[in-house]
Amino acid sequence: MQPRRLHMSADPPSKPTRADDEPRTSRRTLAIATAVGACAVAAAAAVPAIALVVAPLQGGKGGGRWVRTLKLDQLKDGVPRRVAVVDDRKDAWTVEKNVDLGSVWLVRDGEKVRAFSAVCPHLGCSVNAVPAADGKSAGFACPCHTSSFSPDGKRTSGPSPRDLDVLETKIEDGHVVVDFRRFRIGIEQKVET
Ligand code: FES
């Protein structure tokens, strides 16, 4: 029996010519360009979307706001008076009129006024003034866990980790204007929220 012979072609398989490559290269280039273009369009579209999502957060976070309260002559020297802080609340889309933002204790000293946040630095309860016999301030006290503070807001006893938070004030057109801010509770440092 004759051994079988494998038939081998004399011609190697033909390699693609440069002309064959060109359409493939062009298709690849086109695909890459399309992908890059799509990414650029997506990125461009994402910028306004992020701006829209972030904008409302910017309005409410951090920083103070100068809020006009009562007239200076409505305060008696050394007698603390609690006042509500009312102002418009704005974000990117809406304005809420006359929102109650919180309250502060004002204490007049001549032509100046000191303002203390009415929020206890311990766990955030509302701090009361303690009147002295002459009606002036004997300090402040928190009913929740009996923290006490001197008339100038210094911590004297109880679990509060720091003094009362002092706020900036100025007198404008005879009114007391307060730089209203909020601070983190439960920590020693005065850190704005
Ligand atoms: S919240 Fe004021 S003492 Fe605890």
Side-chain angles (χ1 to χ4, degrees):
M1 186 173 150
Q2 290 284 332
R4 291 173 61 192
R5 290 188 180 188
L6 291 174
H7 174 76
M8 304 283 289
S9 168
D11 300 325
S14 62
K15 289 187 177 175
T17 63
R18 180 179 290 271
D20 291 336
D21 273 348
E22 278 175 1
R24 200 178 304 168
T25 306
S26 299
R27 279 197 299 275
R28 193 181 307 135
T29 306
L30 182 62
I32 292 169
T34 305
V36 170
C39 289
V41 170
V47 170
I50 290 167
L52 283 173
V53 170
V54 169
L57 301 178
Q58 291 169 341
K61 183 76 178 170
R65 60 168 82 197
W66 287 97
V67 181
R68 179 177 285 206
T69 63
L70 40 64
K71 289 184 174 175
L72 178 63
D73 60 16
Q74 290 178 277
L75 292 172
K76 291 183 185 160
D77 233 37
V79 178
R81 183 156 174 186
R82 185 182 187 132
V83 295
V85 176
V86 177
D87 197 11
D88 296 345
R89 184 154 53 201
K90 304 168 191 166
D91 62 29
W93 298 296
T94 59
V95 177
E96 278 182 86
K97 289 282 182 191
N98 300 323
V99 177
D100 190 348
L101 300 174
S103 61
V104 296
W105 284 102
L106 300 180
V107 185
R108 180 174 179 176
D109 180 12
E111 295 305 300
K112 292 183 179 173
V113 174
R114 299 198 75 191
F116 302 101
S117 168
V119 177
C120 178
H122 180 221
L123 292 179
C125 285
S126 197
V127 170
N128 298 323
V130 179
D134 60 359
K136 294 198 173 180
S137 177
F140 300 89
C142 179
C144 291
H145 314 93
T146 63
S147 283
S148 301
F149 307 88
S150 67
D152 60 355
K154 296 276 185 268
R155 178 186 49 165
T156 53
S157 66
S160 176
R162 62 176 188 266
D163 301 338
L164 288 182
D165 296 315
V166 176
L167 301 164
E168 294 291 314
T169 63
K170 59 185 177 183
I171 308 300
E172 238 175 42
D173 302 328
H175 286 80
V176 181
V177 185
V178 177
D179 184 19
F180 185 69
R181 295 165 189 260
R182 296 177 186 282
F183 303 94
R184 287 176 58 186
I185 57 174
I187 59 173
E188 288 181 19
Q189 302 79 16
K190 183 181 174 186
V191 178
E192 201 175 336
T193 58

